[in-house]
Amino acid sequence: MLPLVVAFSLLAGQGQPPRLRTVLPNGAAILVEPMPSRSVSIQLWASSRGVEERPETHGLRHLLEHVLALGPDRDLDRRLESKGGFLRARTFRDATQVEITVPADQLDLGFTALGEVLKPLRVSPEQLSKEVKIIDQELGLLDDDALLNEAAWTKGFGQTALDPFGDLEMMRAATPEDVESIRKKQFAASNLVVVVVGPVNLDGATAMARSVVGSLPKVAASPMRDRMWGMPGPAEVDAYGEARAAIVPEFASSKTVGALAAALAIASKLEDCYVTYTPSTKNGLVILGRTDAKQGLGVYVDGLDPSAVAGLLLRGKSLAASWVQQKLRTPAGVGYLRGLLLSQGIENRPEMMLDAIQALDYKAFAAGVQALKKGTAVEVVGTR
């Protein structure tokens, strides 16, 4: 079977460079997008399909991320840095990201590192224990916004959307065999997307990526586990600030972009606010938060009347479009947004969100504001 190759068209009126998507016979996908830059971002995305967080494995993907980032000889990051590159990895609910950044003339270095990341694990119980201690230290460094956000997810979705940070006791009990089992499932070819963005040749970069992931065996794709529809209501957390979380469906729906536009517009009118949304094909949260000792975010949102909402519409649409477009202005941002979406479905593109934002009308925007109000939103209050 020949690879399926699709060339995406240019963004309307943007003069963007072409991008090439290739779906390999084993199910792995490759997206290459040329972009002027001094460096190249090579991102490997592994869908959490089939290994979603469950109580009995809670945190094993996060532990796996730590081990993968070190490479089979536990020195990958150091070797990359010695040649001007670097590596970072992150665990999301819907996928794991490994980003390798290299100078524009060091593309071979990046793909060699990517190949090492995909090798079977060589890790001892003692090495796992060391990584769990590092994760424990990370837990103590979580910011107030992370604590508010996690309280919102716990209230809204419970065990169908467990925090990918994980359960320390579960990780402490994990064996190398446990972590390798997760790796085999999550990093199966059908779960993988490689995104390459920077001053690269479309065909050349595609061929290099194919040489790394194309030989992986083809296995049946695991079904995607849905999250239940979220439950609104109050929650408390030991943190400063407060948050409102709108319960939303998939990333390109009018309900989701309406809530995102509403949250961004409201945040622009108040001090010390933040908005968090991770694009997903599953039910999720658009979170509007404030991380200081002052109260009043919820009071402000609940007090918005129809005339005030109408006055925020154009601001919200502009800010929401900028929220998407800003992520498409750098190699790292393009790799993040396109890779995250593609890992959840090969048809997913950021332009789908932009189209939905462009079509947003008053009714959908007002519904987005309503989704942030008491009774329909998750309402988190910090107790500090």
Side-chain angles (χ1 to χ4, degrees):
M1 183 192 308
L2 294 176
L4 168 67
V5 179
V6 180
F8 286 144
S9 61
L10 302 184
L11 275 171
Q14 296 296 312
Q16 299 261 331
R19 59 192 67 91
L20 183 69
R21 185 189 71 180
T22 306
V23 182
L24 302 180
N26 64 2
I30 300 166
L31 179 71
V32 178
E33 180 164 334
M35 175 178 285
S37 176
R38 294 182 179 180
S39 61
V40 179
S41 176
I42 303 172
Q43 298 192 26
L44 175 67
W45 286 86
S47 170
S48 60
R49 185 185 302 110
V51 291
E52 294 92 343
E53 300 295 334
R54 300 175 184 271
E56 62 271 20
T57 59
H58 190 197
L60 295 195
R61 286 197 305 122
H62 188 184
L63 183 55
L64 171 63
E65 169 219 306
H66 275 243
V67 176
L68 287 177
L70 295 172
D73 296 320
R74 304 183 66 76
D75 64 349
L76 180 57
D77 54 347
R78 178 182 58 78
R79 287 188 285 114
L80 277 170
E81 289 171 5
S82 71
K83 297 184 179 181
F86 64 88
L87 180 151
R88 73 169 182 172
R90 294 188 290 175
T91 301
F92 300 91
R93 284 179 173 82
D94 294 323
T96 294
Q97 174 203 38
V98 178
E99 180 182 11
I100 299 166
T101 304
V102 293
D105 60 351
Q106 295 282 330
L107 201 55
D108 286 345
L109 173 67
F111 281 107
T112 298
L114 183 65
E116 292 189 31
V117 169
L118 286 168
K119 289 181 178 179
L121 298 183
R122 296 202 306 261
V123 62
S124 68
E126 292 75 21
Q127 289 166 339
L128 285 183
S129 179
K130 180 179 178 181
E131 294 306 317
V132 174
K133 291 178 181 177
I134 294 173
I135 293 173
D136 191 7
Q137 293 171 358
E138 291 178 354
L139 179 61
L141 297 175
L142 290 179
D143 294 333
D144 286 315
D145 58 347
L147 297 173
L148 290 167
N149 291 354
E150 188 44 44
W153 276 94
T154 299
K155 172 61 183 177
F157 291 100
Q159 291 194 352
T160 64
L162 289 171
D163 178 9
F165 191 94
D167 182 297
L168 286 170
E169 291 306 315
M170 187 62 61
M171 286 184 274
R172 289 188 183 104
T175 67
E177 293 75 20
D178 294 331
V179 181
E180 172 64 6
S181 176
I182 293 290
R183 187 200 69 81
K184 285 183 177 179
K185 293 176 184 177
Q186 182 171 15
F187 285 78
S190 57
N191 275 357
L192 298 184
V193 174
V194 178
V195 184
V196 185
V197 189
V200 297
N201 174 272
L202 283 172
D203 293 332
T206 299
M208 295 178 77
R210 184 190 289 113
S211 71
V212 176
V213 298
S215 61
L216 296 173
K218 181 178 181 178
V219 297
S222 300
M224 184 171 287
R225 180 189 178 200
D226 290 329
R227 291 193 274 267
M228 67 177 188
W229 185 247
M231 299 294 292
E236 292 185 345
V237 64
D238 182 19
Y240 285 111
E242 58 180 317
R244 288 291 179 90
I247 300 164
V248 297
E250 58 88 18
F251 72 100
S253 73
S254 61
K255 290 183 178 179
T256 299
V257 298
L260 178 62
L264 290 167
I266 294 168
S268 73
K269 303 291 285 185
L270 300 174
E271 294 182 355
D272 303 314
C273 283
Y274 70 87
V275 175
T276 301
Y277 175 63
T278 303
S280 176
T281 58
K282 303 178 184 179
N283 299 330
L285 296 177
V286 172
I287 303 174
L288 168 65
R290 193 175 189 180
T291 55
D292 59 16
K294 295 178 288 187
Q295 299 293 317
L297 174 62
V299 172
Y300 179 86
V301 172
D302 293 338
L304 289 170
D305 59 25
S307 62
V309 171
L312 291 173
L313 173 58
L314 292 180
R315 177 191 292 257
K317 288 184 65 170
S318 176
L319 290 172
S322 295
W323 185 90
V324 177
Q325 292 163 345
Q326 183 66 35
K327 293 173 172 41
L328 299 176
R329 290 175 181 162
T330 66
V334 170
Y336 163 78
L337 190 54
R338 294 198 183 279
L340 175 60
L341 291 175
L342 284 171
S343 69
Q344 299 175 65
I346 201 62
E347 73 286 353
N348 296 327
R349 297 178 296 131
E351 289 78 11
M352 297 165 68
M353 283 193 79
L354 289 172
D355 289 344
I357 293 166
Q358 179 64 33
L360 192 65
D361 57 16
Y362 172 79
K363 182 178 179 180
F365 181 75
V369 174
Q370 182 61 41
L372 291 164
K373 291 192 174 187
K374 187 177 183 67
T376 53
V378 178
E379 310 153 36
V380 182
V381 177
T383 58
R384 289 186 190 174

